[in-house]
């Protein structure tokens, strides 16, 4: 099975670490809300897990003054893609 | 300790895994997570209950929340077993990072390694995460 | 595909309540079905019909209400969360001898069984909190 994990709190929440204790190799991470600071060059922890596919929600990225050039290794997607990802992965686990 | 991961066998039964990640009294999340799990057990679904991160503080012995006008969560944990929820786990690192050992806890729980947590999530139909 | 959406957060305090609505709209727009919306914990405030917002701000409760009506969705507000937060329907107002009600008529008050049922009957359950 594969799981899409959403993370909606900023790096200081430690949520990414918690999430990483529970991920399997076919999983993906989607950053939403304040979670989109993950993987940005303005984040205190630049390290994001390279072994997982990473997504950030465009609306939340743009709202915060971030863009593709400030985010590395992250695929920026919109709400329609978010719905598609929910379909593509077998289940969704929301970390908030 | 050996660990058997339970998967759905019947199409009418689903496996629900609850991740209770919050300390007991600062917010209602611990109680909300517990209430949802008990309701799931009433519907005779398969329930795994995992204490993770600050959620492990819910299990400390000798809690008494009378003076803060709240139900004492430590006592309520016994209701998990009363409702037939037997797969109660505590995540290994969360325990260790907080200098806790099994002897500090109010109820008997199984220790869950990182790898087993990932397997548990992977094999569940629904994961409720608070 | 059949979705359910669970909302844990109050409008205006957390952006996730508004994002739950945006996501739900995208589910419908993409031709999927929503089996149930379940408002839990502080999320029940999204079903308060007595909220007034300044003219230049979106009234999220009203937007939820029109979304639920226009898509004829099943919208459930958790009873134990709702009553203590003053989200009161006609039946509860009568039973508790209250002189007003606050629940949007497009939502129903019911128990946690409806959350479990949503997980059992949906292909995907997405939570916002």
């Amino acid at each position: 099975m594969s799981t899409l994990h959403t993370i909606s709190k900023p790096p200081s929440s430690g949520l990414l670490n918690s999430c990483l204790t529970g991920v399997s190799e076919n999983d993906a991470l989607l950053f939403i809300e304040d979670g989109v600071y993950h993987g940005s060059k303005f984040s205190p922890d630049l390290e994001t897990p390279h072994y997982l596919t990473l997504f950030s929600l465009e609306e939340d990225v743009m709202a915060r003054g971030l863009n593709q050039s400030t985010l590395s290794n992250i695929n920026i997607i919109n709400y329609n893609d978010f719905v598609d990802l929910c379909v593509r992965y077998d289940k969704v686990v929301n970390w908030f | 300790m050996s660990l058997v991961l339970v998967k759905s066998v019947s199409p009418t039964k689903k496996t629900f895994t609850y991740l209770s990640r919050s300390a007991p009294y600062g917010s209602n999340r611990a109680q909300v997570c517990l209430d949802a799990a008990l309701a799931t057990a009433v519907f005779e679904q398969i329930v795994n209950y995992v204490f993770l991160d600050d959620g492990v503080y819910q299990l400390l012995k000798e809690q008494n929340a009378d003076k803060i006008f709240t139900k004492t969560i430590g006592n309520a944990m016994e209701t998990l077993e009363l409702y037939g929820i037997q797969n109660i786990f505590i995540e290994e690192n969360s325990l260790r990072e907080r200098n806790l050992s099994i002897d500090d806890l109010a109820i008997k729980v199984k220790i869950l390694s990182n790898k087993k947590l990932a397997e548990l999530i992977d094999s569940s139909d629904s994961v409720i995460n608070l | 595909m059949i979705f359910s959406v669970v909302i844990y957060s109050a409008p205006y305090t957390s952006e996730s309540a508004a994002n739950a609505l945006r996501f739900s709209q995208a589910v419908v727009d993409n031709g999927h079905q929503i089996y149930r919306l379940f408002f839990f914990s502080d999320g029940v405030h999204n079903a308060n019909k007595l909220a007034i917002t300044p003219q230049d701000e979106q009234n999220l409760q009203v937007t939820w209400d029109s979304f639920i009506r226009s898509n004829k969705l099943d919208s459930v507000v958790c009873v134990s969360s709702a009553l203590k937060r003053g989200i009161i329907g006609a039946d509860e107002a009568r039973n508790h001898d209250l002189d007003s009600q606050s629940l949007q008529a497009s939502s129903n008050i019911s128990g946690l069984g409806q959350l479990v049922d949503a997980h059992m009957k949906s292909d995907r359950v997405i939570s916002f909190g």
Side-chain angles (χ1 to χ4, degrees):
Chain A
M1 294 230 272
S2 61
T3 301
L4 175 70
H5 299 263
T6 70
I7 294 181
S8 61
K9 295 287 183 283
S12 61
S13 66
L15 219 46
L16 176 61
N17 266 340
S18 303
C19 172
L20 291 178
T21 60
V23 297
S24 300
E25 59 178 353
N26 297 323
D27 295 358
L29 305 188
L30 166 61
F31 299 116
I32 63 171
E33 303 174 10
D34 282 344
V36 300
Y37 292 111
H38 284 98
S40 94
K41 67 176 184 180
F42 308 122
S43 165
D45 56 341
L46 277 169
E47 286 299 310
T48 46
H50 298 299
Y51 51 93
L52 295 169
T53 313
L54 305 174
F55 301 94
S56 281
L57 196 59
E58 182 176 30
E59 285 84 344
D60 295 334
V61 166
M62 304 300 276
R64 286 163 178 78
L66 303 173
N67 54 53
Q68 188 71 73
S69 71
T70 58
L71 296 168
S72 53
N73 304 312
I74 290 185
N75 303 289
I76 297 179
I77 62 160
N78 63 27
Y79 268 92
N80 292 330
D81 302 321
F82 184 178
V83 173
D84 284 346
L85 284 182
C86 294
V87 173
R88 202 191 316 160
Y89 289 83
D90 295 317
K91 66 172 166 289
V92 182
V93 178
N94 306 106
W95 300 79
F96 56 84
Chain B
M1 190 176 297
S2 74
L3 173 69
V4 181
L5 298 178
V6 184
K7 288 189 77 166
S8 294
V9 279
S10 143
T12 57
K13 274 202 182 188
K14 285 193 167 188
T15 300
F16 288 66
T17 293
Y18 285 85
L19 305 180
S20 190
R21 302 191 338 260
S22 308
Y25 305 111
S27 77
N28 67 345
R29 290 171 65 128
Q31 187 67 47
V32 163
C33 194
L34 180 64
D35 290 346
L38 298 182
T40 308
V42 169
F43 275 70
E44 300 187 330
Q45 303 300 296
I46 298 161
V47 179
N48 299 307
Y49 206 87
V50 182
F51 294 94
L52 183 65
D53 297 339
D54 287 339
V56 303
Y57 290 133
Q58 294 171 41
L59 293 176
L60 275 175
K61 280 179 185 166
E62 293 172 24
Q63 294 175 51
N64 182 349
D66 291 352
K67 294 273 169 65
I68 55 171
F69 305 104
T70 309
K71 286 189 217 164
T72 301
I73 289 265
N75 300 341
M77 285 307 148
E78 289 172 12
T79 56
L80 283 170
E81 283 173 327
L82 289 176
Y83 278 66
I85 299 172
Q86 288 160 351
N87 295 319
I88 310 172
F89 304 103
I90 190 161
E91 196 263 331
E92 195 174 20
N93 286 341
S94 308
L95 197 64
R96 196 173 44 227
E97 285 167 359
R98 289 165 183 77
N99 293 318
L100 287 166
S101 76
I102 283 287
D103 297 332
D104 298 311
L105 309 180
I107 60 167
K108 270 194 181 159
V109 291
K110 298 163 193 155
I111 291 188
L112 197 67
S113 68
N114 267 6
K115 189 163 166 284
K116 290 292 182 187
L117 175 65
E119 283 177 33
L120 203 61
I121 291 174
D122 192 48
S123 63
S124 300
D125 296 302
S126 285
V127 177
I128 292 97
N129 188 355
L130 286 163
Chain C
M1 191 166 257
I2 301 170
F3 283 74
S4 285
V5 179
V6 186
I7 301 96
Y8 288 89
S9 49
Y12 318 119
T13 306
S14 159
E15 64 167 322
S16 63
N19 291 340
L21 176 57
R22 214 164 287 136
F23 177 82
S24 301
Q25 183 70 60
V27 168
V28 172
D29 291 347
N30 283 274
H32 301 292
Q33 192 189 330
I34 293 182
Y35 176 71
R36 179 168 296 141
L37 300 173
F38 191 88
F39 294 95
F40 198 3
S41 191
D42 280 350
V44 299
H45 291 298
N46 290 282
N48 185 343
K49 70 172 178 184
L50 300 179
I52 300 165
T53 49
Q55 278 190 342
D56 60 345
E57 279 181 38
Q58 185 193 43
N59 185 319
L60 195 60
Q61 287 96 339
V62 168
T63 316
W64 270 119
D65 180 56
S66 46
F67 173 71
I68 292 164
R69 284 174 193 282
S70 58
N71 294 289
K72 297 185 174 61
L73 299 181
D74 181 28
S75 172
V76 173
V77 171
C78 171
V79 61
S80 58
S81 306
L83 300 194
K84 60 185 165 196
R85 289 173 176 81
I87 307 300
I88 305 291
D91 291 348
E92 294 77 22
R94 203 169 34 246
N95 293 343
H96 295 269
D97 209 14
L98 298 169
D99 61 9
S100 59
Q101 47 180 293
S102 54
L103 177 71
Q104 295 278 19
S106 55
S107 291
N108 297 302
I109 290 186
S110 191
L112 270 176
Q114 300 295 313
L115 174 66
V116 180
D117 176 70
H119 277 276
M120 292 164 64
K121 307 274 175 61
S122 309
D123 299 308
R124 300 289 183 273
V125 179
I126 318 297
S127 302
F128 289 85

